[in-house]
Amino acid sequence: MVQSGRSAHHPPSRVIRDFGRAAGGALIFSLPMLMTTELWSLGFYLDRLRLLLLVVASLPLLVLLSRHVGFERTRSWRSDMFDALIALG
């Protein structure tokens, strides 16, 4: 059964290209933040429970982003969860 014409089967070269683009975009936006002392000190002094809460709270948001505006059309929520875990990593 096909759900609304969505397909998740792509050739490996396309997946690698899309992953490379995503990693490049992540570097462009995150590298300047990683170079600031404020961000490093926030990571060192923030309570570990709050950091865990931030990661846990961001996971559903990443799944929803993957579902609605992801790089590829996915067939299931499981695939969206996998994409979100890659983005979180």
Side-chain angles (χ1 to χ4, degrees), residues 19-30:
F19 185 75
R21 286 180 178 172
L27 278 176
I28 288 172
F29 287 105
S30 67

Side-chain angles (χ1 to χ4, degrees), residues 24-78:
L27 278 176
I28 288 172
F29 287 105
S30 67
L31 211 52
M33 288 189 295
L34 288 175
M35 298 173 114
T36 63
T37 306
E38 294 83 9
L39 191 65
W40 281 94
S41 62
L42 181 66
F44 285 123
Y45 295 113
L46 197 61
D47 184 39
R48 300 296 176 235
L49 186 60
R50 280 186 135 178
L51 286 173
L52 178 67
L53 182 64
L54 177 67
V55 170
V56 169
S58 65
L59 192 58
L61 294 174
L62 288 172
V63 170
L64 287 173
L65 277 174
S66 174
R67 187 73 177 163
H68 294 288
V69 291
F71 285 108
E72 61 185 6
R73 292 184 175 259
T74 54
R75 200 177 277 201
S76 66
W77 285 98
R78 184 178 183 190

Side-chain angles (χ1 to χ4, degrees), residues 7-28 66 69-74 79 82-83 86-87:
S7 173
H9 185 69
H10 298 292
S13 62
R14 183 174 175 193
V15 173
I16 291 171
R17 182 194 68 201
D18 290 346
F19 185 75
R21 286 180 178 172
L27 278 176
I28 288 172
S66 174
V69 291
F71 285 108
E72 61 185 6
R73 292 184 175 259
T74 54
S79 180
F82 182 70
D83 289 344
I86 288 175

